[in-house]
Amino acid sequence: MKKLSFLKSTFSLVLVLTMSILLVNCSSSSNDDDYLPSTGNTFNPTDFALTIRKTELNDGNKWMMSVYYDLKNTSQISYNKYEQGSFNIRFTVKSTDGTIYQTVTIIPYIEAGVTVGDFTYLDAVNNTKTLDPATLTAVIEKQ
């Protein structure tokens, strides 16, 4: 009987140690937090500056347009959608027959004062339409 009692206490001790190690590992902060902004400051659409660099119809396909743009964080703090709210850019363009097409791009993490270059596509899905680059608009909005 003493041998069985010894095994039970040893097993219990191993179980308690394992649980303690898991608890400490799960509750400690991860290294992922090192690059995130330190505050929960709110952002507004005016904290970003959007500049459209170039628009082009793709390879002569008048129903598909590429939009190249720069997005700058004009605030004094880094933007992280998980801490300051989610923002996106809504691109809208009309076809020559007046049909409206849109695409939405989520704004990623951007450090304070940094400009990020990116691109997106707008397409009419129907290759009989012709998109009019002169009607392109882009609006930054809070989700």
Side-chain angles (χ1 to χ4, degrees), residues 47-89:
D47 291 319
F48 301 101
L50 179 68
T51 304
I52 296 176
R53 291 189 323 256
K54 179 173 132 179
T55 60
E56 64 185 11
L57 297 175
N58 291 0
D59 298 326
N61 296 327
K62 296 178 189 234
W63 54 273
M64 183 179 242
M65 183 170 62
S66 296
V67 179
Y68 299 88
Y69 62 93
D70 288 331
L71 181 67
K72 181 176 184 177
N73 176 351
T74 60
S75 74
Q76 298 298 314
I77 57 174
S78 295
Y79 166 72
N80 182 323
K81 70 180 181 176
Y82 300 110
E83 293 184 8
Q84 286 97 2
S86 293
F87 288 84
N88 59 42
I89 307 168

Side-chain angles (χ1 to χ4, degrees), residues 52 54-57 62 64-67 91-101 122 130-138:
I52 296 176
K54 179 173 132 179
T55 60
E56 64 185 11
L57 297 175
K62 296 178 189 234
M64 183 179 242
M65 183 170 62
S66 296
V67 179
F91 294 94
T92 305
V93 68
K94 289 182 183 179
S95 65
T96 52
D97 70 355
T99 306
I100 298 172
Y101 296 94
L122 287 125
T130 300
L131 297 179
D132 183 2
T135 64
L136 177 69
T137 60

Side-chain angles (χ1 to χ4, degrees), residues 88-91 102-106 120-122 141 143:
N88 59 42
I89 307 168
R90 181 176 303 275
F91 294 94
Q102 291 184 336
T103 191
V104 176
T105 302
I106 295 171
T120 191
Y121 295 102
L122 287 125
E141 55 190 18
Q143 291 181 340

